[in-house]
Protein backbone atom coordinates (compact mmCIF):
# COMPACT_ATOMS: atom_id res chain seq x y z
CA UNK A 1 0.00 0.00 0.00
CA UNK A 2 1.19 3.54 -0.73
CA UNK A 3 1.75 5.87 2.26
CA UNK A 4 -0.96 8.31 1.17
CA UNK A 5 -3.60 5.54 1.07
CA UNK A 6 -6.68 6.64 3.02
CA UNK A 7 -8.08 4.14 5.49
CA UNK A 8 -11.86 3.99 5.51
CA UNK A 9 -13.69 2.01 8.20
CA UNK A 10 -17.28 0.99 7.51
CA UNK A 11 -19.31 -0.32 10.43
CA UNK A 12 -22.15 -2.51 9.18
CA UNK A 13 -22.29 -4.58 6.00
CA UNK A 14 -26.00 -4.23 5.24
CA UNK A 15 -27.41 -2.66 2.06
CA UNK A 16 -25.77 0.72 2.72
CA UNK A 17 -22.37 -0.58 3.84
CA UNK A 18 -22.01 -3.18 1.09
CA UNK A 19 -22.99 -0.80 -1.72
CA UNK A 20 -20.58 1.81 -0.37
CA UNK A 21 -17.74 -0.76 -0.34
CA UNK A 22 -18.66 -2.03 -3.83
CA UNK A 23 -18.37 1.51 -5.18
CA UNK A 24 -15.30 2.73 -3.29
CA UNK A 25 -13.18 -0.39 -3.82
CA UNK A 26 -12.84 0.67 -7.47
CA UNK A 27 -10.66 3.57 -6.24
CA UNK A 28 -7.29 2.09 -5.31
CA UNK A 29 -6.33 5.16 -3.23
CA UNK A 30 -8.44 3.74 -0.38
CA UNK A 31 -7.99 0.79 1.95
CA UNK A 32 -11.40 -0.22 3.28
CA UNK A 33 -12.06 -2.20 6.46
CA UNK A 34 -15.61 -3.47 6.87
CA UNK A 35 -16.58 -4.23 10.47
CA UNK A 36 -19.67 -6.32 11.17
CA UNK A 37 -20.86 -8.39 14.12
CA UNK A 38 -21.78 -11.19 11.69
CA UNK A 39 -19.48 -12.70 9.08
CA UNK A 40 -22.17 -12.44 6.41
CA UNK A 41 -24.33 -9.97 4.54
CA UNK A 42 -28.01 -10.88 4.54
CA UNK A 43 -31.19 -9.77 2.88
CA UNK A 44 -33.78 -8.64 5.50
CA UNK A 45 -36.79 -8.46 3.11
CA UNK A 46 -36.82 -12.27 2.88
CA UNK A 47 -36.06 -13.29 6.48
CA UNK A 48 -39.74 -13.91 7.16
CA UNK A 49 -39.55 -16.74 4.62
CA UNK A 50 -36.67 -18.27 6.61
CA UNK A 51 -38.69 -17.94 9.80
CA UNK A 52 -41.48 -20.01 8.27
CA UNK A 53 -39.16 -22.62 6.72
CA UNK A 54 -40.01 -21.59 3.16
CA UNK A 55 -36.36 -21.00 2.28
CA UNK A 56 -33.04 -21.83 3.94
CA UNK A 57 -30.97 -19.07 5.60
CA UNK A 58 -28.08 -19.67 3.18
CA UNK A 59 -30.37 -18.60 0.31
CA UNK A 60 -30.41 -15.02 1.56
CA UNK A 61 -26.96 -14.58 3.09
CA UNK A 62 -23.41 -14.45 1.80
CA UNK A 63 -20.05 -14.42 3.69
CA UNK A 64 -18.12 -11.14 3.53
CA UNK A 65 -14.76 -12.85 3.12
CA UNK A 66 -16.02 -14.70 0.08
CA UNK A 67 -17.47 -11.49 -1.31
CA UNK A 68 -14.11 -9.74 -0.98
CA UNK A 69 -11.96 -12.66 -2.22
CA UNK A 70 -10.70 -10.79 -5.28
CA UNK A 71 -10.59 -7.34 -3.64
CA UNK A 72 -7.07 -6.63 -2.28
CA UNK A 73 -8.12 -3.20 -0.98
CA UNK A 74 -10.90 -4.53 1.22
CA UNK A 75 -10.46 -6.14 4.67
CA UNK A 76 -13.05 -7.69 6.95
CA UNK A 77 -12.99 -7.34 10.74
CA UNK A 78 -15.58 -9.37 12.66
CA UNK A 79 -16.67 -7.58 15.83
CA UNK A 80 -19.31 -5.37 17.36
CA UNK A 81 -18.82 -1.62 17.64
CA UNK A 82 -18.48 -0.44 21.23
CA UNK A 83 -17.71 3.28 20.78
CA UNK A 84 -16.20 5.81 18.42
CA UNK A 85 -13.71 8.57 19.24
CA UNK A 86 -13.97 11.20 16.46
CA UNK A 87 -11.16 13.32 17.99
CA UNK A 88 -8.65 10.45 18.00
CA UNK A 89 -10.16 9.06 14.76
CA UNK A 90 -10.52 5.58 16.17
CA UNK A 91 -13.21 3.00 16.84
CA UNK A 92 -13.32 0.47 19.63
CA UNK A 93 -14.89 -2.88 18.82
CA UNK A 94 -15.40 -5.99 20.92
CA UNK A 95 -12.44 -7.47 19.05
CA UNK A 96 -9.95 -4.60 18.93
CA UNK A 97 -9.34 -0.91 18.25
CA UNK A 98 -8.98 0.45 14.71
CA UNK A 99 -7.76 3.82 13.42
CA UNK A 100 -9.33 5.58 10.42
CA UNK A 101 -9.07 8.54 8.08
CA UNK A 102 -12.80 8.32 7.27
CA UNK A 103 -15.51 6.50 9.23
CA UNK A 104 -18.84 5.34 7.80
CA UNK A 105 -21.59 4.23 10.21
CA UNK A 106 -24.15 1.92 8.59
CA UNK A 107 -25.48 -0.25 11.40
CA UNK A 108 -29.17 0.03 10.60
CA UNK A 109 -31.80 -0.37 13.29
CA UNK A 110 -32.64 -2.55 16.28
CA UNK A 111 -36.04 -3.71 17.54
CA UNK A 112 -37.84 -1.12 19.66
CA UNK A 113 -40.08 -2.54 22.42
CA UNK A 114 -41.17 0.94 23.58
CA UNK A 115 -40.27 0.06 27.19
CA UNK A 116 -42.63 -2.97 27.47
CA UNK A 117 -40.43 -5.22 29.62
CA UNK A 118 -42.36 -8.50 29.34
CA UNK A 119 -42.67 -8.08 25.60
CA UNK A 120 -38.93 -7.41 25.28
CA UNK A 121 -38.22 -10.54 27.32
CA UNK A 122 -40.69 -13.03 25.85
CA UNK A 123 -41.82 -11.86 22.39
CA UNK A 124 -39.94 -12.92 19.26
CA UNK A 125 -38.40 -10.13 17.16
CA UNK A 126 -38.01 -10.30 13.35
CA UNK A 127 -34.91 -8.27 12.53
CA UNK A 128 -32.02 -10.64 11.98
CA UNK A 129 -31.31 -14.05 10.56
CA UNK A 130 -30.86 -15.32 14.15
CA UNK A 131 -34.35 -14.00 14.96
CA UNK A 132 -35.75 -15.83 11.93
CA UNK A 133 -34.07 -19.13 12.89
CA UNK A 134 -35.32 -18.79 16.49
CA UNK A 135 -38.87 -18.17 15.30
CA UNK A 136 -38.72 -21.09 12.89
CA UNK A 137 -37.58 -23.50 15.64
CA UNK A 138 -40.08 -22.07 18.10
CA UNK A 139 -43.06 -22.49 15.76
CA UNK A 140 -42.08 -26.04 14.84
CA UNK A 141 -41.61 -26.95 18.54
CA UNK A 142 -45.00 -25.44 19.40
CA UNK A 143 -46.58 -27.57 16.67
CA UNK A 144 -45.08 -30.69 18.27
CA UNK A 145 -46.60 -29.60 21.62
CA UNK A 146 -49.96 -29.02 19.99
CA UNK A 147 -49.92 -32.53 18.57
CA UNK A 148 -49.03 -34.13 21.92
CA UNK A 149 -51.56 -32.40 24.16
CA UNK A 150 -55.15 -33.55 24.55
CA UNK A 151 -56.18 -30.35 26.35
CA UNK A 152 -57.97 -28.15 23.82
CA UNK A 153 -57.05 -24.85 25.55
CA UNK A 154 -53.37 -25.88 25.65
CA UNK A 155 -53.49 -26.89 22.01
CA UNK A 156 -54.99 -23.55 20.97
CA UNK A 157 -52.37 -21.69 22.98
CA UNK A 158 -49.57 -23.67 21.36
CA UNK A 159 -50.92 -22.99 17.88
CA UNK A 160 -51.98 -19.37 18.30
CA UNK A 161 -49.61 -16.84 16.76
CA UNK A 162 -50.09 -13.13 17.45
CA UNK A 163 -48.23 -10.69 15.23
CA UNK A 164 -47.86 -7.22 16.75
CA UNK A 165 -47.51 -4.71 13.92
CA UNK A 166 -49.37 -4.35 10.64
CA UNK A 167 -46.58 -2.84 8.58
CA UNK A 168 -44.95 -4.69 5.66
CA UNK A 169 -43.08 -7.16 7.92
CA UNK A 170 -46.20 -8.04 9.94
CA UNK A 171 -48.38 -8.39 6.84
CA UNK A 172 -45.82 -10.48 4.93
CA UNK A 173 -45.29 -12.75 7.92
CA UNK A 174 -49.05 -13.16 8.45
CA UNK A 175 -49.51 -14.07 4.79
CA UNK A 176 -46.82 -16.70 4.76
CA UNK A 177 -47.88 -18.17 8.12
CA UNK A 178 -51.37 -18.57 6.72
CA UNK A 179 -49.85 -20.30 3.66
CA UNK A 180 -47.75 -22.49 5.95
CA UNK A 181 -50.91 -23.54 7.78
CA UNK A 182 -52.85 -24.24 4.61
CA UNK A 183 -50.25 -25.88 2.41
CA UNK A 184 -47.74 -27.55 4.70
CA UNK A 185 -48.86 -28.06 8.28
CA UNK A 186 -52.15 -29.53 7.18
CA UNK A 187 -50.18 -32.24 5.35
CA UNK A 188 -47.56 -32.87 8.03
CA UNK A 189 -49.73 -32.66 11.15
CA UNK A 190 -52.80 -34.71 10.25
CA UNK A 191 -53.69 -34.79 13.97
CA UNK A 192 -54.55 -31.06 13.79
CA UNK A 193 -57.25 -29.31 11.83
CA UNK A 194 -58.46 -25.75 11.20
CA UNK A 195 -54.93 -24.36 11.23
CA UNK A 196 -55.79 -21.04 9.65
CA UNK A 197 -57.92 -19.73 12.51
CA UNK A 198 -54.96 -19.42 14.88
CA UNK A 199 -53.43 -16.30 13.37
CA UNK A 200 -53.92 -12.77 14.76
CA UNK A 201 -52.50 -9.51 13.47
CA UNK A 202 -52.76 -6.51 15.78
CA UNK A 203 -52.04 -2.98 14.60
CA UNK A 204 -52.24 0.33 16.45
CA UNK A 205 -53.09 2.18 13.20
CA UNK A 206 -56.60 2.09 11.68
CA UNK A 207 -55.25 0.27 8.56
CA UNK A 208 -52.73 -2.38 7.55
CA UNK A 209 -49.60 -1.22 5.64
CA UNK A 210 -49.89 2.42 6.83
CA UNK A 211 -47.02 3.70 4.63
CA UNK A 212 -48.68 2.40 1.43
CA UNK A 213 -51.60 3.57 -0.72
CA UNK A 214 -55.25 3.06 0.30
CA UNK A 215 -55.63 0.47 -2.48
CA UNK A 216 -52.67 -1.52 -1.11
CA UNK A 217 -54.08 -1.30 2.42
CA UNK A 218 -57.52 -2.53 1.35
CA UNK A 219 -56.07 -5.37 -0.72
CA UNK A 220 -53.87 -6.51 2.20
CA UNK A 221 -56.90 -6.53 4.52
CA UNK A 222 -59.05 -8.45 2.05
CA UNK A 223 -56.45 -11.12 1.29
CA UNK A 224 -55.41 -11.72 4.91
CA UNK A 225 -59.02 -11.90 6.06
CA UNK A 226 -59.74 -14.45 3.33
CA UNK A 227 -56.75 -16.48 4.47
CA UNK A 228 -58.37 -16.68 7.91
CA UNK A 229 -56.28 -14.20 9.88
CA UNK A 230 -58.10 -12.19 12.56
CA UNK A 231 -57.17 -8.53 12.00
CA UNK A 232 -57.44 -6.23 15.02
CA UNK A 233 -56.92 -2.54 14.18
CA UNK A 234 -56.70 0.65 16.30
CA UNK A 235 -55.31 -1.55 19.06
CA UNK A 236 -51.89 -2.01 20.67
CA UNK A 237 -50.25 -5.04 22.22
CA UNK A 238 -49.39 -3.73 25.70
CA UNK A 239 -48.19 -6.75 27.71
CA UNK A 240 -47.37 -10.45 27.53
CA UNK A 241 -48.10 -12.27 30.78
CA UNK A 242 -47.92 -16.06 31.26
CA UNK A 243 -48.24 -16.57 27.51
CA UNK A 244 -51.29 -14.33 27.29
CA UNK A 245 -51.07 -11.38 24.92
CA UNK A 246 -52.72 -8.35 26.50
CA UNK A 247 -54.28 -5.76 24.15
CA UNK A 248 -55.04 -2.09 24.78
CA UNK A 249 -58.78 -2.79 24.22
CA UNK A 250 -58.78 -5.07 27.29
CA UNK A 251 -58.84 -8.30 25.28
CA UNK A 252 -56.40 -11.14 26.09
CA UNK A 253 -55.28 -13.74 23.56
CA UNK A 254 -53.70 -16.94 24.89
CA UNK A 255 -50.69 -17.59 22.63
CA UNK A 256 -47.30 -19.24 23.02
CA UNK A 257 -46.02 -17.11 20.14
CA UNK A 258 -45.99 -13.32 20.04
CA UNK A 259 -44.01 -11.90 17.13
CA UNK A 260 -43.03 -8.26 17.60
CA UNK A 261 -42.72 -6.30 14.35
CA UNK A 262 -44.02 -3.05 15.81
CA UNK A 263 -41.06 -0.72 15.85
CA UNK A 264 -37.40 -0.05 15.30
CA UNK A 265 -34.88 2.43 16.57
CA UNK A 266 -31.53 3.27 15.00
CA UNK A 267 -28.57 1.42 16.53
CA UNK A 268 -27.03 3.72 19.18
CA UNK A 269 -23.39 4.65 18.97
CA UNK A 270 -21.38 5.68 22.01
CA UNK A 271 -19.08 8.63 21.47
CA UNK A 272 -21.51 10.72 19.40
CA UNK A 273 -22.64 14.10 20.77
CA UNK A 274 -26.26 13.73 22.04
CA UNK A 275 -27.51 16.66 19.92
CA UNK A 276 -26.53 14.76 16.76
CA UNK A 277 -28.90 11.88 17.63
CA UNK A 278 -32.42 12.92 16.62
CA UNK A 279 -35.82 11.37 15.83
CA UNK A 280 -35.88 7.56 16.17
CA UNK A 281 -32.29 7.56 17.43
CA UNK A 282 -31.12 8.42 13.89
CA UNK A 283 -27.87 10.33 13.33
CA UNK A 284 -28.33 13.80 11.86
CA UNK A 285 -26.44 14.14 8.57
CA UNK A 286 -26.09 16.82 5.91
CA UNK A 287 -26.92 16.41 2.22
CA UNK A 288 -23.66 14.43 1.74
CA UNK A 289 -24.39 12.01 4.59
CA UNK A 290 -21.74 13.69 6.73
CA UNK A 291 -22.50 13.53 10.43
CA UNK A 292 -23.29 16.95 11.87
CA UNK A 293 -20.28 18.66 13.44
CA UNK A 294 -17.63 16.42 11.85
CA UNK A 295 -15.63 16.27 8.60
CA UNK A 296 -14.61 12.64 8.60
CA UNK A 297 -17.58 10.70 9.99
CA UNK A 298 -20.50 9.74 7.73
CA UNK A 299 -23.72 7.82 8.41
CA UNK A 300 -25.85 5.91 5.91
CA UNK A 301 -29.15 4.07 5.49
CA UNK A 302 -31.56 3.36 8.34
CA UNK A 303 -29.14 4.75 10.90
CA UNK A 304 -29.13 8.33 9.60
CA UNK A 305 -31.61 11.13 9.01
CA UNK A 306 -31.08 13.74 6.33
CA UNK A 307 -33.61 16.53 5.92
CA UNK A 308 -31.89 18.13 2.92
CA UNK A 309 -33.77 16.36 0.10
CA UNK A 310 -36.51 18.73 -1.17
CA UNK A 311 -38.91 15.84 -1.77
CA UNK A 312 -38.36 14.39 1.72
CA UNK A 313 -38.16 17.35 4.13
CA UNK A 314 -38.96 15.09 7.11
CA UNK A 315 -36.25 12.60 6.13
CA UNK A 316 -36.17 9.48 3.96
CA UNK A 317 -38.11 6.28 4.68
CA UNK A 318 -36.07 3.46 6.25
CA UNK A 319 -36.07 1.20 3.19
CA UNK A 320 -33.48 -0.75 1.23
CA UNK A 321 -33.39 1.57 -1.81
CA UNK A 322 -32.45 4.62 0.28
CA UNK A 323 -29.59 2.66 1.89
CA UNK A 324 -28.37 1.31 -1.48
CA UNK A 325 -28.46 4.71 -3.22
CA UNK A 326 -26.81 6.51 -0.29
CA UNK A 327 -24.04 3.89 -0.08
CA UNK A 328 -23.24 4.14 -3.78
CA UNK A 329 -23.25 7.95 -3.79
CA UNK A 330 -21.00 8.22 -0.74
CA UNK A 331 -18.51 5.86 -2.43
CA UNK A 332 -18.39 8.25 -5.40
CA UNK A 333 -18.28 11.32 -3.14
CA UNK A 334 -15.23 10.14 -1.17
CA UNK A 335 -13.31 9.83 -4.46
CA UNK A 336 -14.46 13.36 -5.39
CA UNK A 337 -13.35 14.63 -1.99
CA UNK A 338 -9.82 13.25 -2.50
CA UNK A 339 -9.78 14.77 -6.02
CA UNK A 340 -10.64 18.17 -4.50
CA UNK A 341 -14.01 18.21 -6.30
CA UNK A 342 -17.29 19.19 -4.59
CA UNK A 343 -19.39 16.27 -3.33
CA UNK A 344 -22.86 15.67 -4.81
CA UNK A 345 -25.91 15.98 -2.53
CA UNK A 346 -28.11 12.92 -2.04
CA UNK A 347 -31.44 12.90 -3.87
CA UNK A 348 -33.61 9.81 -3.39
CA UNK A 349 -35.07 8.16 -6.51
CA UNK A 350 -38.14 6.27 -5.33
CA UNK A 351 -38.57 3.07 -7.37
CA UNK A 352 -41.77 2.05 -5.57
CA UNK A 353 -42.86 0.16 -2.47
CA UNK A 354 -44.06 -3.40 -2.39
CA UNK A 355 -45.29 -6.07 -0.01
CA UNK A 356 -46.19 -9.70 -0.63
CA UNK A 357 -49.41 -10.70 1.08
CA UNK A 358 -49.69 -14.35 0.22
CA UNK A 359 -48.05 -16.81 -2.08
CA UNK A 360 -49.45 -15.44 -5.31
CA UNK A 361 -50.60 -12.00 -4.27
CA UNK A 362 -48.66 -8.82 -3.67
CA UNK A 363 -49.24 -5.07 -3.70
CA UNK A 364 -46.93 -2.62 -5.42
CA UNK A 365 -47.09 1.19 -5.20
CA UNK A 366 -45.13 2.63 -8.12
CA UNK A 367 -44.53 6.33 -8.75
CA UNK A 368 -46.71 5.74 -11.85
CA UNK A 369 -49.56 3.73 -10.26
CA UNK A 370 -50.69 0.67 -8.32
CA UNK A 371 -50.32 -3.06 -9.07
CA UNK A 372 -51.90 -5.97 -7.23
CA UNK A 373 -52.48 -9.70 -7.52
CA UNK A 374 -50.40 -12.02 -9.64
CA UNK A 375 -48.55 -9.37 -11.68
CA UNK A 376 -47.51 -7.58 -8.51
CA UNK A 377 -46.35 -10.91 -7.07
CA UNK A 378 -44.17 -11.65 -10.13
CA UNK A 379 -42.61 -8.18 -10.03
CA UNK A 380 -42.01 -8.63 -6.29
CA UNK A 381 -40.20 -11.89 -7.05
CA UNK A 382 -37.85 -10.25 -9.54
CA UNK A 383 -37.18 -7.22 -7.37
CA UNK A 384 -36.24 -9.47 -4.44
CA UNK A 385 -34.15 -12.00 -6.30
CA UNK A 386 -32.10 -9.69 -8.50
CA UNK A 387 -30.44 -7.66 -5.73
CA UNK A 388 -29.32 -10.78 -3.84
CA UNK A 389 -25.58 -10.76 -3.57
CA UNK A 390 -23.63 -13.50 -5.33
CA UNK A 391 -24.61 -15.51 -8.38
CA UNK A 392 -25.03 -18.71 -6.39
CA UNK A 393 -27.69 -17.16 -4.17
CA UNK A 394 -29.71 -15.87 -7.09
CA UNK A 395 -29.63 -19.27 -8.74
CA UNK A 396 -30.39 -21.21 -5.55
CA UNK A 397 -33.18 -18.88 -4.55
CA UNK A 398 -34.78 -18.95 -7.99
CA UNK A 399 -34.57 -22.76 -8.08
CA UNK A 400 -36.01 -23.10 -4.58
CA UNK A 401 -38.79 -20.74 -5.43
CA UNK A 402 -39.68 -22.65 -8.56
CA UNK A 403 -39.66 -25.89 -6.55
CA UNK A 404 -41.99 -24.56 -3.83
CA UNK A 405 -44.19 -23.05 -6.52
CA UNK A 406 -44.69 -26.37 -8.26
CA UNK A 407 -44.79 -28.72 -5.26
CA UNK A 408 -46.19 -26.56 -2.45
CA UNK A 409 -43.57 -28.24 -0.31
CA UNK A 410 -40.51 -26.06 0.19
CA UNK A 411 -37.67 -26.84 2.60
CA UNK A 412 -37.32 -29.65 5.10
CA UNK A 413 -38.55 -28.45 8.45
CA UNK A 414 -35.72 -29.58 10.70
CA UNK A 415 -35.76 -28.41 14.31
CA UNK A 416 -32.14 -27.43 14.95
CA UNK A 417 -31.22 -26.28 18.43
CA UNK A 418 -27.65 -25.02 18.62
CA UNK A 419 -25.85 -25.57 21.91
CA UNK A 420 -25.25 -22.06 23.27
CA UNK A 421 -22.40 -23.07 25.65
CA UNK A 422 -19.21 -21.03 25.11
CA UNK A 423 -16.19 -23.23 24.42
CA UNK A 424 -12.88 -21.47 24.98
CA UNK A 425 -9.59 -23.35 24.69
C1 LIG B 1 -38.01 -8.18 8.27
C2 LIG B 1 -37.66 -6.98 7.41
C3 LIG B 1 -38.24 -6.85 6.16
C4 LIG B 1 -37.95 -5.75 5.35
N1 LIG B 1 -38.51 -5.68 4.11
C5 LIG B 1 -38.19 -4.65 3.31
C6 LIG B 1 -38.69 -4.59 1.97
O1 LIG B 1 -39.44 -5.47 1.53
N2 LIG B 1 -38.32 -3.54 1.19
C7 LIG B 1 -37.48 -2.56 1.66
O2 LIG B 1 -37.15 -1.63 0.92
N3 LIG B 1 -37.00 -2.59 2.91
C8 LIG B 1 -37.33 -3.61 3.74
N4 LIG B 1 -36.82 -3.65 5.01
C9 LIG B 1 -35.98 -2.55 5.48
C10 LIG B 1 -34.57 -2.70 4.93
O3 LIG B 1 -34.09 -4.01 5.22
C11 LIG B 1 -33.67 -1.66 5.56
O4 LIG B 1 -34.16 -0.39 5.21
C12 LIG B 1 -32.23 -1.81 5.08
O5 LIG B 1 -31.74 -3.08 5.43
C13 LIG B 1 -31.35 -0.73 5.68
O6 LIG B 1 -30.03 -0.97 5.28
P1 LIG B 1 -28.83 -0.56 6.23
O7 LIG B 1 -27.58 -0.90 5.49
O8 LIG B 1 -29.02 0.83 6.71
O9 LIG B 1 -28.97 -1.49 7.52
P2 LIG B 1 -28.98 -3.07 7.60
O10 LIG B 1 -29.30 -3.70 6.31
O11 LIG B 1 -29.85 -3.38 8.78
O12 LIG B 1 -27.48 -3.46 7.96
C14 LIG B 1 -26.90 -3.17 9.21
C15 LIG B 1 -25.63 -4.01 9.35
O13 LIG B 1 -24.94 -3.54 10.51
C16 LIG B 1 -24.51 -4.65 11.30
N5 LIG B 1 -24.47 -4.17 12.69
C17 LIG B 1 -25.49 -3.73 13.45
N6 LIG B 1 -25.05 -3.35 14.65
C18 LIG B 1 -23.71 -3.53 14.65
C19 LIG B 1 -22.68 -3.30 15.61
N7 LIG B 1 -22.95 -2.79 16.83
N8 LIG B 1 -21.41 -3.60 15.28
C20 LIG B 1 -21.12 -4.12 14.06
N9 LIG B 1 -22.06 -4.36 13.10
C21 LIG B 1 -23.34 -4.07 13.41
C22 LIG B 1 -25.56 -5.72 11.03
O14 LIG B 1 -25.04 -7.01 11.28
C23 LIG B 1 -25.87 -5.49 9.55
O15 LIG B 1 -25.01 -6.24 8.73
C24 LIG B 1 -37.08 -4.75 5.84
C25 LIG B 1 -36.50 -4.88 7.10
C26 LIG B 1 -36.79 -5.99 7.90
C27 LIG B 1 -36.16 -6.13 9.25
Amino acid sequence: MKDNTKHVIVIGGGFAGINFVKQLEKDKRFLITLVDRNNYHFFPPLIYQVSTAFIESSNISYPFRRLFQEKPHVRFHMGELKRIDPMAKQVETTTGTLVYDYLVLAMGTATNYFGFENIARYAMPMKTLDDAMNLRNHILLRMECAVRTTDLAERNKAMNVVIAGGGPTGVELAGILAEMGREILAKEYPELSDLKSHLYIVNSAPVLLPPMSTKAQQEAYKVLEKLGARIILNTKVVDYVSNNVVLSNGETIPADTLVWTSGVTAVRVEGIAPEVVISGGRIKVDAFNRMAETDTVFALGDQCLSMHDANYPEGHPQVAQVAIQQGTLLGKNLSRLIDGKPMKPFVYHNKGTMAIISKYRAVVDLPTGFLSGWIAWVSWLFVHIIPLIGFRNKFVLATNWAWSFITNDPTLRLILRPDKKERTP
Side-chain angles (χ1 to χ4, degrees):
M1 288 303 150
K2 289 187 206 134
D3 282 341
N4 58 357
T5 302
K6 299 289 180 201
H7 187 207
V8 181
I9 295 181
V10 188
I11 318 276
F15 286 120
I18 277 295
N19 283 282
F20 169 76
V21 174
K22 269 166 82 180
Q23 178 60 43
L24 192 68
E25 73 75 28
K26 294 174 192 159
D27 188 336
K28 304 304 173 210
R29 296 172 294 176
F30 293 94
L31 172 68
I32 307 163
T33 301
L34 173 70
V35 178
D36 202 294
R37 61 184 173 195
N38 297 315
N39 78 332
Y40 55 81
H41 169 81
F42 74 103
F43 194 81
L46 288 181
I47 64 168
Y48 74 96
Q49 301 204 358
V50 174
S51 71
T52 46
F54 261 76
I55 54 174
E56 297 296 345
S57 56
S58 58
N59 293 157
I60 59 161
S61 51
Y62 206 75
F64 293 120
R65 288 193 177 277
R66 172 112 185 232
L67 197 63
F68 303 144
Q69 255 176 14
E70 315 270 309
K71 317 266 182 232
H73 288 254
V74 186
R75 303 277 183 274
F76 173 63
H77 179 103
M78 187 166 165
E80 197 158 331
L81 181 72
K82 281 172 75 181
R83 65 182 61 84
I84 69 169
D85 183 346
M87 295 299 281
K89 288 194 177 179
Q90 63 183 38
V91 296
E92 196 186 320
T93 76
T94 46
T95 47
T97 300
L98 304 168
V99 178
Y100 63 81
D101 292 304
Y102 295 103
L103 174 63
V104 178
L105 301 169
M107 285 174 278
T109 53
T111 304
N112 187 356
Y113 296 99
F114 304 107
F116 294 121
E117 280 177 25
N118 285 333
I119 295 173
R121 198 169 300 143
Y122 304 116
M124 315 218 54
M126 264 287 288
K127 261 306 278 162
T128 66
L129 218 42
D130 287 344
D131 295 339
M133 295 301 286
N134 283 339
L135 182 58
R136 168 186 169 144
N137 281 345
H138 175 84
I139 289 176
L140 294 175
L141 284 167
R142 291 297 88 208
M143 290 307 294
E144 293 303 327
C145 280
V147 167
R148 280 196 306 268
T149 185
T150 47
D151 180 318
L152 192 62
E154 278 305 305
R155 176 176 283 187
N156 281 335
K157 203 175 192 180
M159 290 168 68
N160 282 350
V161 176
V162 177
I163 299 170
T169 303
V171 165
E172 292 186 330
L173 184 65
I176 204 147
L177 278 169
E179 294 287 356
M180 192 181 180
R182 268 182 5 162
E183 308 284 2
I184 299 158
L185 301 185
K187 277 191 267 178
E188 295 193 0
Y189 299 84
E191 303 92 328
L192 305 171
S193 60
D194 190 23
L195 287 158
K196 66 180 184 178
S197 61
H198 292 275
L199 188 59
Y200 300 78
I201 179 161
V202 183
N203 201 20
S204 57
V207 290
L208 294 174
L209 298 176
M212 295 190 74
S213 65
T214 308
K215 280 184 180 168
Q217 293 165 353
Q218 287 169 346
E219 175 76 2
Y221 193 99
K222 199 174 77 191
V223 173
L224 286 184
E225 195 177 43
K226 207 167 161 202
L227 284 170
R230 190 174 151 216
I231 304 162
I232 306 169
L233 299 173
N234 289 311
T235 307
K236 288 181 184 161
V237 169
V238 291
D239 209 347
Y240 193 31
V241 186
S242 308
N243 290 17
N244 287 296
V245 180
V246 183
L247 308 185
S248 58
N249 63 7
E251 194 182 339
T252 297
I253 306 168
D256 285 354
T257 311
L258 168 62
V259 189
W260 185 257
T261 70
S262 271
V264 292
T265 178
V267 171
R268 303 278 165 155
V269 178
E270 249 188 79
I272 292 183
E275 57 274 18
V276 173
V277 180
I278 50 176
S279 168
R282 293 162 86 178
I283 298 169
K284 189 175 168 186
V285 293
D286 64 15
F288 314 104
N289 282 91
R290 195 168 34 197
M291 185 169 88
E293 292 164 33
T294 64
D295 283 335
T296 52
V297 183
F298 297 81
L300 295 173
D302 280 5
Q303 205 181 9
C304 76
L305 188 67
S306 161
M307 290 181 278
H308 300 270
D309 186 338
N311 292 327
Y312 298 88
E314 304 292 315
H316 301 106
Q318 287 167 296
V319 294
Q321 270 304 324
V322 172
I324 291 169
Q325 292 174 27
Q326 284 184 342
T328 306
L329 181 67
L330 183 61
K332 291 179 181 164
N333 270 340
L334 281 197
S335 293
R336 294 178 70 85
L337 198 67
I338 297 291
D339 289 335
K341 293 182 186 162
M343 294 195 286
K344 291 192 174 161
F346 178 69
V347 179
Y348 174 46
H349 300 289
N350 182 6
K351 296 185 177 175
T353 320
M354 43 180 64
I356 186 164
I357 314 169
S358 71
K359 202 160 163 200
Y360 303 104
R361 300 189 80 87
V363 283
V364 180
D365 281 335
L366 294 168
T368 48
F370 170 74
L371 293 179
S372 66
W374 213 83
I375 293 181
W377 185 84
V378 172
S379 59
W380 174 90
L381 202 60
F382 277 99
V383 167
H384 282 80
I385 287 178
I386 287 164
L388 277 181
I389 276 188
F391 170 76
R392 192 186 69 89
N393 282 36
K394 275 179 206 168
F395 180 75
V396 173
L397 189 70
T399 313
N400 283 358
W401 260 97
W403 182 250
S404 10
F405 196 85
I406 297 161
T407 62
N408 262 339
D409 198 9
T411 67
L412 297 173
R413 282 156 292 284
L414 308 176
I415 299 175
L416 302 169
R417 282 170 288 181
D419 176 0
K420 291 230 162 136
K421 232 183 277 164
E422 284 282 329
R423 284 193 187 85
T424 41

